[in-house]
Amino acid sequence: MRLFTTVAAVALTTALMAGTAMAQTAFDTNRISEDIRILSDDSFEGRGIATRAEQKVIDYLSAGFAAAGFAPGGENGGWTQAVTLNRIASSNVQASLKQGGEVMPLTQGQEVTISSRLPGNGVDLKDVPLVFVGYGVNAPERNWNDFKVDVRGKIIVVLVNDPDFEEPELNTFGGKAMTYYGRWTYKYEEAARQGAAGVLIVHETAPAAYGWTTVVNSWTVPQFDIVRENPAAERVPVEAWIQRDVAEKLFAAAGVDFEEQKRLARRADFQPVDLKATMDVRFDQASEQIVTHNVVARLEGSARPAETILYGGHWDHIGIATDEGVNGDRIFNGAIDNASGTAALLELARHFGQGPKPERSIVMVAFTAEESGLLGSEYYAANPLYPLETTVAGFNIDAANVYGRKDKLNITGYGHSDLDDRLVQIATAQGRGIVPDAGAAAGIYFRSDHFPLVRRGVPMAYINSTGDFIDAPIEPRVAMAAEYSRTGYHQVADEWRADWDLRGMVQDMDVVYEAGKALANSTEWPQWKPTSEFAAVRASSEAQRR
């Protein structure tokens, strides 16, 4: 395996600086905008997976990749990789808390969201005890275990994020940066391992990094999961979130203070709290297996075709709301999240396809079911169409910057591999500064489609614009971005706009295009840093990359 030497770095930097200047004028913002507009049009019905809209997405993307000069890269010579999932729709949700002779009804979408990813006909739990187990973390390598009592058959109440969020100076879980222990996915998984009947995650906007509306929109629609050999061992019957004010009342009635318990939960010697309450939960379920698809395109390399540079971004979104929506609008168009990233894949493919054929192969994957828990990328990573051992590196594009150029580049998960160093060189050539892992506190590194590949040792980059806008007028850009965070993300207002300034998106596309092109025309292999927990799995396959 050839290391990224100083000489090579200098040569690469020179090439990148020249290439970046060219690429900045090459991407067609009008064409990108039109792709976003079409993919987020109402006729695509929010790009729900395994709906009639999915075939429209497949047809549009395969035609676009073909026009760009790419060949089908999926199964059996086609454009897709089939992904079989369980689809579980919950309905007629009824729930209440009983405490001290009082009954507190819980309304779906208001005080609580309740769903399940455990296949079945329904759930009917009565008088199930509630116990608060802090952050719901069992981390032996950190000498940490919140499960100091038997929670089998109980519903556990847990805090979102991990113990360092409120007090990063403790540095038990990496400070302000969220670890995987802070993700809702982990909390539900660990609850199943502990034999719990369900989980109530207390929602708070700051540690969750999104508001209650996002929770409601994400968890009151059908849920999806990969098909598991023994789902009961990995999924609990009830996966739920509750509003903070509900938790405060629950704790107060049990004779404890919510804020005080949050403080105690930051310590390894935290003791679980019996909340002296029970919960009734009942809902119907419709479970079925569905098949959705990753869309895969490939440009074969001219010299080392077995070595792959991967570009990915998810095509799916939430679909159509089951209620009346907002002012009659029920379609989650997902223009920014993630028609923008999907449009970027098409535009990147056009540029790779029109230039000299790269020495290594370029693979574009539009992943399905990201909104359901990174399931399309998880399936690809577990069943790769092109070996992960010889996948050189990858680039994930999710929710592009549509508001204009910014003076800095954020590198999510910065410090894990020397792929970061290559990105820094290109951004520097653009005149931009670097912000290392701006989304660390929100756990962004674990929340997009690069992560299933990272877990299996593939160096992956996930970048976005950050810092200050550099083009006047500044205030409208700031306001538009803030409005999206407030009313757009995972809401029906995420729609295409003709007044977007896609030059910021192009800035970021330049970075991943130039980095990928340079790697595709080299014999270099990005290396994991020795401190990264993902280095060991990559090292085990080193011989296959010589």
Side-chain angles (χ1 to χ4, degrees), residues 63-142:
F65 285 131
F70 275 59
E75 298 167 321
N76 304 315
W79 289 102
T80 63
Q81 178 187 35
V83 178
T84 302
L85 301 175
N86 284 320
R87 179 185 187 276
I88 303 158
S90 303
S91 61
N92 302 319
V93 176
Q94 301 171 41
S96 61
L97 298 175
K98 298 177 182 178
Q99 192 175 32
E102 298 292 327
V103 177
M104 181 192 303
L106 301 174
T107 302
Q108 176 80 328
Q110 295 184 20
E111 297 88 6
V112 68
T113 67
I114 296 175
S115 59
S116 181
R117 288 179 293 164
L118 182 63
N121 296 320
V123 169
D124 191 358
L125 302 178
K126 293 185 177 181
D127 298 323
V128 181
L130 269 62
V131 58
F132 174 59
V133 292
Y135 287 88
V137 172
N138 180 21
E141 78 282 3
R142 299 172 187 265

Side-chain angles (χ1 to χ4, degrees), residues 86-205:
N86 284 320
R87 179 185 187 276
I88 303 158
S90 303
S91 61
N92 302 319
V93 176
Q94 301 171 41
S96 61
L97 298 175
K98 298 177 182 178
Q99 192 175 32
E102 298 292 327
V103 177
M104 181 192 303
L106 301 174
T107 302
Q108 176 80 328
Q110 295 184 20
E111 297 88 6
V112 68
T113 67
I114 296 175
S115 59
S116 181
R117 288 179 293 164
L118 182 63
N121 296 320
V123 169
D124 191 358
L125 302 178
K126 293 185 177 181
D127 298 323
V128 181
L130 269 62
V131 58
F132 174 59
V133 292
Y135 287 88
V137 172
N138 180 21
E141 78 282 3
R142 299 172 187 265
N143 296 313
W144 193 284
N145 184 10
D146 287 330
F147 295 92
K148 299 180 182 73
V149 297
D150 186 353
V151 299
R152 285 177 294 182
K154 299 177 182 179
I155 292 176
I156 61 172
V157 179
V158 300
L159 302 170
V160 70
N161 214 302
D162 57 34
D164 283 3
F165 178 82
E166 304 281 355
E167 200 173 346
E169 58 270 21
L170 294 173
N171 202 33
T172 310
F173 285 81
K176 197 72 172 178
M178 184 192 287
T179 67
Y180 189 60
Y181 295 114
R183 289 285 289 133
W184 61 261
T185 48
Y186 167 80
K187 297 176 192 296
Y188 291 150
E189 291 162 4
E190 186 59 38
R193 286 188 285 268
Q194 297 288 336
V199 184
L200 289 174
I201 300 177
V202 180
H203 175 264
E204 295 185 87
T205 297

